[in-house]
Amino acid sequence: MKLIASLTSPFARKVRIVLAEKNIPFDLVIDIPWNADTEVPKFNPLGKIPVLVRDGGGTLFDSRVIVEYLEEFKPWPMLIPADAEDRIAVKKWEALADGISDAAAIIFLERKRPESQQSKDWIARQQKKIDNGLAAMNTSVAGNFCVGEGFTLADIAVGSCLGYLDCRFPELDWRKGFAVLAALSERLALRPAFQATLPVT
Ligand SMILES: N[C@@H](CCC(=O)N[C@@H](CS)C(=O)NCC(=O)O)C(=O)O
């Protein structure tokens, strides 16, 4: 299978970590959807990465669909719990972490526009989602992992989100206010799959 991705996307990183944790071989195709020569729209009408191209040729997007597929494709190690309550909890964590990444990506893009065209209100609205989202995640980690006693997709989504903030917004210094997340991030950083997928600008 092939994964079309960039090396900065937190959504693509989530999928790359799942592939690495499950030890699924794949070809990484780097494609920056903002570039004029991007081929992403041929594979995803929304023009967004990540896109998974299956061996038979079918394509899958977005990242949440891809990780569900990978869980079916290779169930072990299990990253989405079988228990219904835990499964929903993991998906809720994923939605929260992805939502923070979405808000961060919007700010990053807005700041790339000419200063006179940037909306301070729009940036502030997105920043609030990041601040509130980080606070919610910080108070929700109960033990060593986001859900239950084991490593799951929730940890992967959170780690990818925090890594994206480090990459694009180092000045945010989120560790200062969110010690529980900082400790989680340190634990996750020990995993080879996280080390192998650090964002590259
Ligand atoms: N919900 C999507 C979000 C994907 C996404 O926003 N990807 C960004 C890169 S981080 C992208 O491809 N943006 C290009 C565009 O919006 O045209 C997912 O989880 O895969």
Side-chain angles (χ1 to χ4, degrees):
M1 62 179 75
K2 269 195 315 200
L3 183 71
I4 305 172
S6 76
L7 296 179
T8 51
S9 165
F11 312 103
R13 186 177 183 206
K14 185 175 61 173
V15 172
R16 289 165 65 212
I17 293 173
V18 168
L19 285 159
E21 291 282 350
K22 288 181 175 289
N23 206 11
I24 299 173
F26 69 103
D27 293 322
L28 182 62
V29 178
I30 305 290
D31 193 327
I32 315 297
W34 305 107
N35 290 354
D37 62 349
T38 179
E39 302 213 341
V40 174
K42 288 185 190 162
F43 300 93
N44 175 358
L46 304 175
K48 294 186 178 195
I49 49 142
V51 180
L52 188 81
V53 183
R54 294 165 67 178
D55 285 341
T59 59
L60 291 178
F61 53 86
D62 60 9
S63 65
R64 294 188 212 176
V65 174
I66 297 172
V67 297
E68 285 270 357
Y69 168 73
L70 294 174
E71 191 73 4
E72 294 294 325
F73 180 81
K74 191 169 180 210
W76 194 257
M78 189 182 277
L79 296 174
I80 304 177
D83 173 78
E85 280 298 323
D86 284 349
R87 186 182 182 92
I88 294 300
V90 164
K91 298 305 284 183
K92 184 178 166 188
W93 270 100
E94 185 184 21
L96 182 55
D98 283 5
I100 295 172
S101 297
D102 273 327
I106 288 172
I107 294 179
F108 179 72
L109 293 171
E110 184 73 6
R111 286 192 182 149
K112 281 177 108 174
R113 303 172 74 208
E115 197 152 356
S116 60
Q117 289 175 25
Q118 293 180 22
S119 163
K120 285 199 168 48
D121 286 349
W122 182 237
I123 290 176
R125 188 177 173 85
Q126 303 308 321
Q127 186 61 52
K128 203 165 185 179
K129 295 179 199 301
I130 297 174
D131 297 343
N132 290 346
L134 287 172
M137 294 201 303
N138 195 64
T139 51
S140 303
V141 180
N144 280 334
F145 301 101
C146 294
V147 176
E149 294 305 310
F151 175 76
T152 66
L153 173 63
D155 303 289
I156 296 174
V158 172
S160 300
C161 163
L162 297 175
Y164 183 67
L165 294 181
D166 282 339
C167 167
R168 293 299 196 204
F169 304 92
E171 74 284 358
L172 187 63
D173 204 8
W174 57 267
R175 285 174 180 77
K176 225 195 281 171
F178 303 113
V180 176
L181 286 183
L184 174 66
S185 169
E186 252 179 57
R187 286 192 295 278
L188 295 174
L190 299 173
R191 299 182 81 92
F194 280 72
Q195 291 165 5
T197 56
L198 279 170
V200 178
T201 53

